[in-house]
């Protein structure tokens, strides 16, 4: 359903809170507005077997209903979170835009000016209309928008009333919550494909917009075993419908510089309507994509909205026509620094770092974004304005010093006492930020939201993580020094030997090494520098060892080296220390059961016979333990199944306790 995700929390059957998805952890409280959506019951109604209305079934029989409670009613859990989509029906969307047009026309008539319909404020599509209506601060506006709701799943629950996805959805429907009549249970691939084709055929006639179907594994036990990856469940997959396409003309190709220095080409297009939305810009992703499409100014292109959302150029229909080729820049358009692509990567990046104003602004915008510190009131325009005034030139720490500029901000156009007060209060509210959000907000390359959480789980305190990274950096320096001494001993003092900065990861090759050497005095020798297979092999091995020592599941060589590189740069250290001088993130503590392995590092090796490796790791985390992919001196326990090899031997050599799968199951059982 094309709309806005919403979670409804019921306690003792009564709606107590409604929230948008937000960043996946923290969303907006929309309880007051949800009260005006007639589809959403304020109180869930228990229903006996005779009152159940089964969902439409296609070629399958209904699931048996779970056992009712003692009074013959199907019990509602003490806590149950319904998840679904708030949407606006097509007819209501058209009516809303007609009302907005009438209002604009009336206002215009009172002014006596000629009415221009193109300038009237309207919603571009039902998704935006639903999102804007649900998030209104004035609930009366929401009440007049006729929003609807359809449930598609559930979240937190004190108990789950069923053992299959389908059975639980039937139960949710029986409580009075709307569920799509197109929810079906399919047996086999052909049934799934048939359902997809059937819904696609009736898509245009549905009263609401949809962009595809979602297949889900029905058995909840299997869902639990399959688990989740960083952003999605392994037990569900979305299959989109083919995107609507349109043709337009490329009027310009601009280069945008992101917070990591990446140069992203963006096509500026003659306005065109695609899937109900007027599109004027489309990202071209990277230099290779521009070359693949053969794009030049003036080309006519085919455009679609990927997933019915993101504008995407899919074809150049005039590439055979003679036009001047587009030349991708080799220097940053913002600061003039050289722009290079590291070996094995398609992205071209500015080498200017924080001397590049575009990167500094983008990092500031990232720091205050929803997934990071989420400081309300510090939008893109405000960040740019304050930066250009010199109020944020030292970095993110300056944000917390804005309170000293209260009078200066009041002197700017558009700022009043209340808006300034709200901004400063929002900033002060982040003086004790979540450690993972703060780490993510620093914009360290390859450190996303999930990786930041994993690192904080492992180290608890950011200072501890910084100390460990410093020790790994020293170990890297020492390893390269020993390697270089060995090379000199073999080749003599005249050998040209790359430094560890030139060969510190498997993705660094001749391009980066040559560039770094070109900054040195001996330019002629630097451009002749090559990397031997032996040097590359050593770099890869060292990167793997460092990643193993950091001991965080999912943090490999690339992330480990990115952390080392970040703290290797003095200006990054200055930013880090400046921020921590302004804020005090509390210890990152994840709630877990107290067990005999709490706080310990566990490694699973060999073939596990009663569960998957992912299940075992999930169990360890629930017991308050950390898991690692390799055995080191920091490992506390090894769980070994049949076929365990080198890790088991290493555990024996280090004197680490080793147990089998049955003993691990006993630990889990004792923890409850």
């Amino acid at each position: 359903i094309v709309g806005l995700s919403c979670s409804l929390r019921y306690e003792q059957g009564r709606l107590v809170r409604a929230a948008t998805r937000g960043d996946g952890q923290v969303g907006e409280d929309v309880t007051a507005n949800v009260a005006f959506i007639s589809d959403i019951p304020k109180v869930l109604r228990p229903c006996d077997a005779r009152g159940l209305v089964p969902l439409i079934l296609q070629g399958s029989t209904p699931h048996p209903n779970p056992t009712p409670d003692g009074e013959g009613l199907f019990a509602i859990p003490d806590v149950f979170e319904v998840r679904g989509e708030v949407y606006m029906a097509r007819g209501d969307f058209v009516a809303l835009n007609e009302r907005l047009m009438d209002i604009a026309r009336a206002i215009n008539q009172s002014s006596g000016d000629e009415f221009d319909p193109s300038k009237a404020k309207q919603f571009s599509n039902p998704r935006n209309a639903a999102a804007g209506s649900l998030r209104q601060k004035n609930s009366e506006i929401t009440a007049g928008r006729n929003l609807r709701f359809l449930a598609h799943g559930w979240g937190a629950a004190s108990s789950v009333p069923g053992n299959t996805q389908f059975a639980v959805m039937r139960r949710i429907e029986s409580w009075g919550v709307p569920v799509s009549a197109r929810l079906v249970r399919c047996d086999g691939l052909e049934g799934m494909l048939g359902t997809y084709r059937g819904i696609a055929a009736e898509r245009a006639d549905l009263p609401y917009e949809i962009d595809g179907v979602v297949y889900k594994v029905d058995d909840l036990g299997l869902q639990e075993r399959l688990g989740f990856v960083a952003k999605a469940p392994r037990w569900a997959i979305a299959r989109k419908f083919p995107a609507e396409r349109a043709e337009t003309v490329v009027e310009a190709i601009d280069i945008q510089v992101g917070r990591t220095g990446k140069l992203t080409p963006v096509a500026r297009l003659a306005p065109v309507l695609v899937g109900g939305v007027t599109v004027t810009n489309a990202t071209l992703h990277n230099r290779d994509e521009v070359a693949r499409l053969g794009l030049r100014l003036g080309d006519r292109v085919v455009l679609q909205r990927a997933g019915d959302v993101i504008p995407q150029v899919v074809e150049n229909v005039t590439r055979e026509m003679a036009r001047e080729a587009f030349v991708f820049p080799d220097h940053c358009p913002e600061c003039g620094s050289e722009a290079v692509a590291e070996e094995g990567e398609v992205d071209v990046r500015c080498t200017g770092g924080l001397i590049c104003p575009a990167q500094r602004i983008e990092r500031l915008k990232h720091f205050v974004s929803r997934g990071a510190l989420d400081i309300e009131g510090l939008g893109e325009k405000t960040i740019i304005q304050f930066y250009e005034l010199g109020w944020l030139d030292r970095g993110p720490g300056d944000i917390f010093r804005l309170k000293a500029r209260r009078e200066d901000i009041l002197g700017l156009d558009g700022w009043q006492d209340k808006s300034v007060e709200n901004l400063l209060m929002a900033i002060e509210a982040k003086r004790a930020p979540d450690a993972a959000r703060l780490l993510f907000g620093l914009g360290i390359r390859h450190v996303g939201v999930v990786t930041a959480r994993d690192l904080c789980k492992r180290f608890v305190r950011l200072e501890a993580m910084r100390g460990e990274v410093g020790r790994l950096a020293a170990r890297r320096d020492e390893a390269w020094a020993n390697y270089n001494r060995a090379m000199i001993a073999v080749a003599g003092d005249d050998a040209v030997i790359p430094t560890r900065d030139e060969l510190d990861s498997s993705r660094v090759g001749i391009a980066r090494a040559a560039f770094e050497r070109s900054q040195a005095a001996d330019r002629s020798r630097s451009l002749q520098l090559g990397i031997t297979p032996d040097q590359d092999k050593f770099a890869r091995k060292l990167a793997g060892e460092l990643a193993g020592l950091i001991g965080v599941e999912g943090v490999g060589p690339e992330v480990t080296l990115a952390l080392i590189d970040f703290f290797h740069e003095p200006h990054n250290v200055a930013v880090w220390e400046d921020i921590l001088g302004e804020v005090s993130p509390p210890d990152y503590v994840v709630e877990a059961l107290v067990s005999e392995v709490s706080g310990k590092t566990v490694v699973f090796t060999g073939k596990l016979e009663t569960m998957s490796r992912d299940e075992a790791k999930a169990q360890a985390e629930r017991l308050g333990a950390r898991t690692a992919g390799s055995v080191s001196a920091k490992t506390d326990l090894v769980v070994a199944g049949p076929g365990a090899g080198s890790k088991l031997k290493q555990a024996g050599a280090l004197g680490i306790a080793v147990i089998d799968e049955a003993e691990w199951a006993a630990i889990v059982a004792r923890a409850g």
Side-chain angles (χ1 to χ4, degrees):
I1 309 298
V2 178
L4 183 70
S5 294
C6 188
S7 293
L8 311 173
R9 183 180 175 90
Y10 290 88
E11 295 180 3
Q12 307 301 323
R14 295 185 176 275
L15 179 64
V16 297
R17 182 171 295 111
T20 64
R21 179 169 55 191
D23 64 0
Q25 283 193 310
V26 179
E28 295 179 64
D29 190 326
V30 291
T31 310
N33 291 349
V34 157
F36 292 97
I37 301 177
S38 59
D39 281 352
I40 296 176
K42 311 305 179 292
V43 179
L44 299 179
R45 62 168 189 259
C47 186
D48 63 25
R50 293 180 300 279
L52 280 176
V53 180
L55 298 173
I56 294 174
L57 302 175
Q58 295 184 0
S60 62
T61 57
H63 284 284
N65 295 315
T67 304
D69 63 18
E71 299 179 358
L73 297 177
F74 289 92
I76 296 172
D78 291 339
V79 175
F80 197 86
E81 178 189 337
V82 176
R83 292 185 178 176
E85 201 84 1
V86 172
Y87 69 95
M88 184 173 288
R90 297 180 197 265
D92 293 329
F93 170 69
V94 172
L96 172 61
N97 272 345
E98 287 176 350
R99 290 203 307 272
L100 293 175
M101 182 66 75
D102 290 341
I103 292 171
R105 187 178 288 108
I107 294 174
N108 186 264
Q109 287 176 350
S110 66
S111 68
D113 297 331
E114 184 178 352
F115 181 60
D116 183 357
S118 66
K119 294 183 179 179
K121 183 178 180 181
Q122 291 187 301
F123 287 104
S124 58
N125 56 62
R127 182 199 298 268
N128 290 351
S133 301
L134 183 63
R135 297 165 70 182
Q136 287 287 333
K137 292 184 178 179
N138 185 348
S139 297
E140 292 181 0
I141 296 177
T142 304
R145 294 288 174 82
N146 200 24
L147 296 178
R148 310 297 299 271
F149 181 82
L150 281 175
H152 57 62
W154 64 93
S158 56
S159 62
V160 178
N163 54 16
T164 65
Q165 180 85 22
F166 197 79
V168 177
M169 292 308 300
R170 292 189 71 227
R171 182 58 52 78
I172 290 172
E173 185 189 36
S174 77
W175 295 336
V177 182
V179 173
S180 172
R182 286 158 186 83
L183 175 65
V184 299
R185 186 181 63 173
C186 303
D187 293 315
L189 181 60
E190 285 306 313
M192 295 164 63
L193 295 176
T195 299
Y196 174 86
R197 297 187 193 105
I199 294 177
E202 62 177 335
R203 178 185 184 188
D205 299 322
L206 294 174
Y208 45 78
E209 289 196 346
I210 61 175
D211 57 11
V213 303
V214 178
Y215 304 124
K216 295 182 180 179
V217 173
D218 195 32
D219 188 297
L220 299 187
L222 293 178
Q223 285 189 14
E224 184 176 358
R225 290 192 64 184
L226 287 165
F228 289 76
V229 290
K231 296 182 179 180
R234 291 192 180 96
W235 44 265
I237 186 169
R239 188 175 182 209
K240 300 288 188 176
F241 295 130
E244 181 181 335
R245 296 187 173 190
E247 287 191 12
T248 187
V249 175
V250 178
E251 297 182 335
I253 299 176
D254 295 342
I255 302 296
Q256 295 181 344
V257 183
R259 64 181 173 86
T260 62
K262 177 183 174 182
L263 273 58
T264 301
V266 177
R268 306 302 181 190
L269 308 166
V272 62
L273 194 67
V274 186
V277 175
T278 300
V279 176
T280 57
N281 305 314
T283 178
L284 299 174
H285 303 292
N286 52 55
R287 179 177 60 184
D288 285 7
E289 182 67 3
V290 176
R292 183 186 72 81
L293 293 166
L295 279 188
R296 295 112 1 134
L297 273 60
D299 277 339
R300 189 163 189 82
V301 297
V302 177
L303 188 75
Q304 70 179 25
R305 290 170 62 219
D308 284 344
V309 178
I310 303 171
Q312 177 184 40
V313 176
V314 294
E315 183 183 356
N316 179 2
V317 298
T318 56
R319 66 183 306 157
E320 301 303 325
M321 296 181 64
R323 282 197 181 92
E324 184 177 351
F326 174 77
V327 179
F328 202 91
D330 55 9
H331 285 76
C332 175
E334 298 290 339
C335 70
S337 298
E338 188 169 359
V340 298
E342 295 177 356
E343 185 174 315
E345 290 198 354
V346 297
D347 293 332
V348 176
R349 298 182 187 275
C350 166
T351 58
L354 290 181
I355 68 168
C356 177
Q359 291 187 58
R360 299 187 76 170
I361 290 174
E362 290 301 318
R363 289 192 183 197
L364 286 167
K365 287 159 57 178
H366 174 72
F367 185 79
V368 302
S369 66
R370 180 174 294 182
L373 262 67
D374 191 19
I375 300 179
E376 188 173 352
L378 266 184
E380 179 177 354
K381 291 182 179 179
T382 303
I383 287 286
I384 294 173
Q385 182 183 30
F386 287 3
Y387 178 82
E388 290 177 345
L389 288 169
W391 298 350
L392 302 176
D393 53 359
R394 288 176 58 187
D398 281 339
I399 292 171
F400 296 93
R401 291 185 281 270
L402 285 173
K403 62 181 179 180
R405 297 190 178 275
R406 179 188 178 88
E407 298 305 317
D408 295 329
I409 299 174
L410 274 172
L412 301 175
D413 289 341
W415 289 91
Q416 304 295 330
D417 281 327
K418 186 63 175 177
S419 57
V420 174
E421 182 66 23
N422 288 341
L423 172 62
L424 297 180
M425 287 177 61
I427 293 172
E428 289 303 306
K430 304 298 181 179
R431 288 283 184 179
D434 176 85
R437 284 174 170 267
L438 180 61
L439 181 59
F440 171 64
L442 291 173
I444 302 173
R445 195 173 175 200
H446 303 304
V447 178
V449 175
V450 175
T451 299
R453 291 176 194 158
D454 290 343
L455 287 165
C456 287
K457 284 181 192 176
R458 165 69 176 83
F459 293 103
V460 181
R461 299 178 62 84
L462 290 178
E463 293 87 346
M465 185 205 72
R466 164 81 188 283
E468 180 64 16
V469 172
R471 287 186 284 274
L472 293 178
R475 188 181 183 96
R476 181 182 71 168
D477 291 348
E478 181 182 4
W480 273 112
N482 292 337
Y483 178 79
N484 286 347
R485 281 193 290 269
M487 288 183 67
I488 291 173
V490 174
D493 293 338
D494 293 332
V496 178
I497 303 170
T499 68
R500 54 94 180 162
D501 284 326
E502 295 165 342
L503 288 169
D504 61 3
S505 85
S506 60
R507 57 187 168 79
V508 174
I510 295 174
R512 177 173 169 186
F515 169 72
E516 291 187 356
R517 279 291 203 190
S518 70
Q519 309 306 299
D522 190 0
R523 184 177 180 84
S524 61
R525 290 180 66 192
S526 72
L527 296 179
Q528 299 171 3
L529 178 66
I531 298 175
T532 68
D534 181 68
Q535 294 163 348
D536 184 62
K537 180 180 179 181
F538 178 77
R540 290 171 183 269
K541 181 181 178 183
L542 177 58
E545 290 176 354
L546 294 172
L549 290 173
I550 205 168
V552 180
E553 185 70 20
V555 173
E558 198 167 43
V559 175
T560 303
L561 293 169
L563 288 167
I564 293 174
D565 285 346
F566 180 85
F567 289 108
H568 178 70
E569 296 292 341
H571 56 256
N572 288 336
V573 174
V575 167
W576 169 274
E577 293 177 347
D578 185 45
I579 292 173
L580 291 184
E582 296 290 338
V583 303
S584 301
D587 291 356
Y588 194 84
V589 179
V590 179
E591 291 186 10
L593 294 173
V594 177
S595 73
E596 55 203 270
V597 294
S598 295
K600 296 183 177 181
T601 298
V602 180
V603 172
F604 294 91
T605 184
K607 180 176 176 57
L608 301 180
E609 298 178 314
T610 64
M611 56 187 163
S612 69
R613 188 69 60 86
D614 286 337
E615 286 178 272
K617 291 176 180 177
Q619 283 183 347
E621 290 184 3
R622 285 197 295 270
L623 298 183
R626 297 185 294 267
T627 61
S630 59
V631 175
S632 70
K634 296 181 179 180
T635 304
D636 298 295
L637 179 67
V638 171
V639 181
S646 59
K647 293 177 185 177
L648 181 58
K649 292 180 181 177
Q650 192 171 1
L654 293 173
I656 297 169
V658 178
I659 63 174
D660 61 18
E661 193 172 349
E663 291 173 288
W664 172 255
I667 291 175
V668 174
R670 286 194 292 272

